[in-house]
Amino acid sequence: MSLTIALAQINTCLGNVERNLEKHIALVKEARKSGADLLIFPELSLTGYVLQDLASAVAHRPTRDDPIFRPLLEASQDIDLVVGFVDEDLRSRFYIAAAYLSRGQVLHVHHKVYLPTYGLFDEGRFFAWGNSISAFDTRFGRLGMLICEDFWHASPPYLLWLDGADLLLLTSASPGRGLGSEEQLESARWVEHINRAYASLFTIFVAHANRVGYEDGLNFWGGSTVFDPNGALLARGPYHEESLALAEVDLRQIHRTRARLPLLRDERIALVQRELNRILQTS
Amino acid sequence: MMTKTPPSVDLHINPTLARKILTGFIRTEIERVGFHKAVLGLSGGIDSALACYLAAEALGPQNVLAMRMPYHTSSPESLEHAQLVIDTLGVQSLTVPITEMVEPLFVRFPDMDNLRKGNVMARARMIVLYDQSSAFGGLVIGTGNKTEILLGYSTLYGDSACALNPIGDLYKTQVRQLAADMGVPSEIIAKPPSADLWVGQTDEDELGFTYEQADQLLYLLVDQRYSPEDCIAAGFEPPLVHAVVARVRRNHFKRILPPIAKISNRTIGYDFLYPRDWGT
């Protein structure tokens, strides 16, 4: 089975959800014309990133009654969508979230579990911490979603792998930093390294949508990628420019790679659990 | 006693990538608030020359107004070098001498020293720039580099005043590298940096160390989080380390907004926190 993934490497309007929604709808049309089956928007694609006290004002609930999600759910009839937003739960906690929409349904919502609150980041001040990591079933198989800092930690991708995800959908609003003499920023190099590593270590597909544009002096570097289960690069968006990057993904590659390299078959989960229990008890 | 050679810190940057990020920054930050033009003070030195090159590339030379604002003791070479940048880039320009603005204050306070006079001149130039910002319909582009900002080698509400600063995260040596890459005339790059506030003034004389030394040290202290002791252990002379660390600390007030005395439940700067680019 083959699947065309589109990565919407967009700039956003900071705090203006309606304007960002219009851009999402336009991109959905463009991606459908290009034959995409799944369109992935970056982290906080409906709101922008440096929200600070705007976080509560731009929050939405991913339901059919919501004025932002209604048109997005309608748009998901022919193409599956991953959108980034601020999710307000029923008790008004605000999460950095990604929703997977398919055929008018919300199949899964992931709340960011690692909120960077160091260096230039201050997410823990403004947002609630997500508390679960789980894969979910779609018409393309079982997938997993993670948001930016979530995959700077090795455990969330590992857990999704064990939970059955053969395709990781990663979203970021990654600020560019670390300019040396190389052609890539340090932050871009690091993210590409780890995404290639996850694809290789877990023999899965890894698709990453990162945004572009500037907010309060931060630049977002784009460079969205798709890696296959051999760690080969299938597509990469340009750095620092808006684009719709397309990758045709042959899901049979999982079969071929795992026939050669049975890392999943040989993974000793019970051993991991035993050792984790020991480490937790003794530390 | 053995003396160690200070470590060689590689401050080279990829000029193509720097140019792309910085011109994109100028264009985005100006256009998102409904402008498409910029104003900047062109001193004849390397920092403002580089800022002017970046602004011209980002916005088109016709959308950049370069201001020459000499005082009567300013070096004629500074004016010529500024003109060279203007002619090379084809940016718009205006020359507004500040002598008539500042002299009455100097006459009123005849014991005014060079430092006070220099600050008055820097602030007079700020007034002219912000007035032209309004007249020309463009935002003021800052021309301070990272070394100067960290050392506090600037006048508060004077040359540090701006709407946006494209080169404030580049050390002086990186400014030189990028300026050379963008084609800033070599005589501007080669001459000793000077605020040109009085005859014969140079930055490095006044600071007591070279930018080369300061940049290497600041990179370790700031970017690599070395402690002052780590820097000394790595081979930097203790007096240099102490002088630089003291300047960075003493001048921190220039890098932040003045504190507001908090008395309400929600106070600007403490718990009323919105991004500058709010809604754009």
Side-chain angles (χ1 to χ4, degrees):
Chain A
M1 182 187 179
S2 126
L3 149 75
T4 300
I5 297 176
L7 307 168
Q9 187 172 297
I10 56 167
N11 188 8
T12 52
C13 183
L14 186 54
N16 189 333
V17 183
E18 286 73 22
R19 213 165 114 188
N20 293 321
L21 173 65
E22 282 171 27
K23 194 168 206 167
H24 280 61
I25 299 297
L27 261 292
V28 167
K29 285 182 186 144
E30 195 184 331
R32 277 181 55 197
K33 263 193 214 145
S34 310
D37 303 295
L38 166 60
L39 173 60
I40 308 169
F41 287 94
E43 176 181 17
L44 293 173
S45 59
L46 285 162
T47 62
Y49 177 70
V50 187
L51 290 165
Q52 300 186 326
D53 282 355
L54 290 171
S56 55
V58 298
H60 283 266
R61 291 194 169 119
T63 63
R64 209 176 294 275
D65 315 326
D66 183 89
I68 296 298
F69 273 90
R70 192 184 316 115
L72 287 168
L73 284 165
E74 281 163 16
S76 75
Q77 287 298 342
D78 304 310
I79 181 171
D80 287 13
L81 303 176
V82 173
V83 298
F85 68 111
V86 177
D87 189 12
E88 178 172 359
D89 75 5
L90 292 170
R91 302 187 66 196
S92 288
R93 286 169 291 197
F94 305 98
Y95 299 90
I96 297 176
Y100 190 100
L101 316 180
S102 178
R103 302 196 160 148
Q105 304 290 323
V106 180
L107 292 193
H108 188 75
V109 175
H110 172 69
H111 292 159
K112 192 172 187 175
V113 294
Y114 282 104
L115 301 178
T117 307
Y118 59 83
L120 72 152
F121 302 104
D122 207 9
E123 294 179 15
R125 176 187 170 97
F126 300 102
F127 294 101
W129 294 66
N131 212 21
S132 73
I133 294 166
S134 58
F136 55 98
D137 294 309
T138 73
R139 60 196 176 106
F140 310 117
R142 199 161 167 81
L143 314 183
M145 294 193 294
L146 294 171
I147 305 171
C148 208
E149 190 85 356
D150 288 345
F151 59 88
W152 284 57
H153 292 254
S155 51
Y158 179 72
L159 287 170
L160 288 175
W161 182 49
L162 298 184
D163 199 22
D166 283 333
L167 170 53
L168 282 190
L169 311 180
L170 310 179
T171 65
S172 294
S174 174
R177 54 205 188 277
L179 177 66
S181 49
E182 311 278 328
E183 281 172 22
Q184 264 180 323
L185 291 165
E186 264 174 37
S187 47
R189 201 160 60 240
W190 163 257
V191 170
E192 283 191 21
H193 268 316
I194 60 171
N195 287 351
R196 188 190 291 272
Y198 290 136
S200 310
L201 290 168
F202 301 147
T203 58
I204 55 174
F205 288 96
V206 175
H208 174 229
N210 184 31
R211 62 164 290 187
V212 295
Y214 295 81
E215 282 176 8
D216 277 28
L218 304 181
N219 71 84
F220 301 98
W221 49 271
S224 305
T225 50
V226 180
F227 291 101
D228 85 353
N230 292 329
L233 180 70
L234 298 184
R236 180 197 276 134
Y239 292 121
H240 290 108
E241 282 166 30
E242 286 199 313
S243 85
L244 186 68
L246 295 168
E248 196 174 325
V249 166
D250 175 7
L251 293 173
R252 284 286 292 170
Q253 187 57 46
I254 294 167
H255 165 89
R256 293 190 287 269
T257 300
R258 291 183 188 165
R260 164 179 75 79
L261 186 64
L263 297 176
L264 176 64
R265 182 198 70 188
D266 296 348
E267 181 64 17
R268 299 184 60 187
I269 306 169
L271 168 70
V272 171
Q273 184 179 25
R274 213 163 53 236
E275 293 302 325
L276 271 179
N277 286 342
R278 178 185 61 78
I279 292 162
L280 287 169
Q281 275 162 15
T282 54
S283 66
Chain B
M1 195 179 112
M2 261 177 53
T3 52
K4 279 165 80 181
T5 318
S8 180
V9 178
D10 183 10
L11 290 174
H12 282 94
I13 52 168
N14 182 299
T16 312
L17 187 51
R19 205 160 155 172
K20 185 169 192 180
I21 294 172
L22 300 180
T23 53
F25 166 77
I26 292 171
R27 197 164 38 244
T28 307
E29 291 309 306
I30 287 182
E31 289 178 356
R32 75 190 314 154
V33 285
F35 290 85
H36 62 279
K37 296 199 273 193
V39 181
L40 57 82
L42 203 56
S43 67
I46 187 172
D47 298 317
S48 58
L50 174 62
C52 196
Y53 270 69
L54 288 166
E57 183 165 303
L59 306 168
Q62 72 283 2
N63 291 318
V64 177
L65 176 60
M67 299 291 299
R68 300 195 310 167
M69 297 172 286
Y71 177 64
H72 73 88
T73 64
S74 297
S75 139
E77 190 189 72
S78 298
L79 268 180
E80 286 160 23
H81 285 165
Q83 192 59 44
L84 187 58
V85 170
I86 290 162
D87 293 341
T88 309
L89 291 173
V91 294
Q92 302 207 45
S93 68
L94 210 54
T95 302
V96 180
I98 56 162
T99 313
E100 297 80 359
M101 289 174 71
V102 300
E103 277 304 322
L105 201 61
F106 296 172
V107 171
R108 170 73 180 75
F109 299 103
D111 58 342
M112 209 186 262
D113 61 13
N114 277 344
L115 184 66
R116 282 174 67 190
K117 285 186 179 171
N119 283 335
V120 169
M121 287 188 257
R123 291 184 180 120
R125 293 188 174 111
M126 178 276 291
I127 291 172
V128 177
L129 271 184
Y130 269 82
D131 179 54
Q132 286 304 315
S133 167
S134 172
F136 184 66
L139 296 186
V140 175
I141 290 195
T143 62
N145 63 59
K146 188 172 187 174
T147 313
E148 165 186 310
I149 296 171
L150 285 169
L151 296 176
Y153 193 64
S154 66
T155 299
L156 188 61
Y157 308 120
D159 54 318
S160 67
C162 63
L164 64 149
N165 181 344
I167 64 165
D169 205 16
L170 293 176
Y171 287 110
K172 186 77 172 186
T173 43
Q174 295 172 325
V175 166
R176 288 179 182 144
Q177 192 204 338
L178 186 57
D181 182 78
M182 290 194 73
V184 171
S186 54
E187 52 268 54
I188 295 176
I189 298 174
K191 70 178 173 182
S194 167
D196 198 15
L197 295 169
W198 54 87
V199 177
Q201 183 191 23
T202 72
D203 296 7
E204 290 177 344
D205 274 354
E206 235 189 323
L207 290 166
F209 42 78
T210 67
Y211 277 122
E212 197 89 25
Q213 293 173 307
D215 285 359
Q216 304 255 323
L217 184 55
L218 286 169
Y219 177 77
L220 293 184
L221 284 167
V222 175
D223 295 68
Q224 297 300 320
R225 296 172 192 256
Y226 274 49
S227 70
E229 294 72 29
D230 291 342
C231 294
I232 291 167
F236 285 93
E237 292 295 332
L240 173 70
V241 174
H242 296 315
V244 165
V245 167
R247 277 205 76 109
V248 171
R249 183 187 51 75
R250 200 169 61 235
N251 287 299
H252 189 61
F253 73 97
K254 294 188 186 177
R255 292 186 289 265
I256 54 170
L257 289 172
I260 290 174
K262 182 173 175 69
I263 46 174
S264 77
N265 280 329
R266 198 170 183 209
T267 310
I268 296 151
Y270 300 92
D271 34 32
F272 178 84
L273 297 174
Y274 290 87
R276 175 174 163 127
D277 292 339
W278 185 357
T280 67

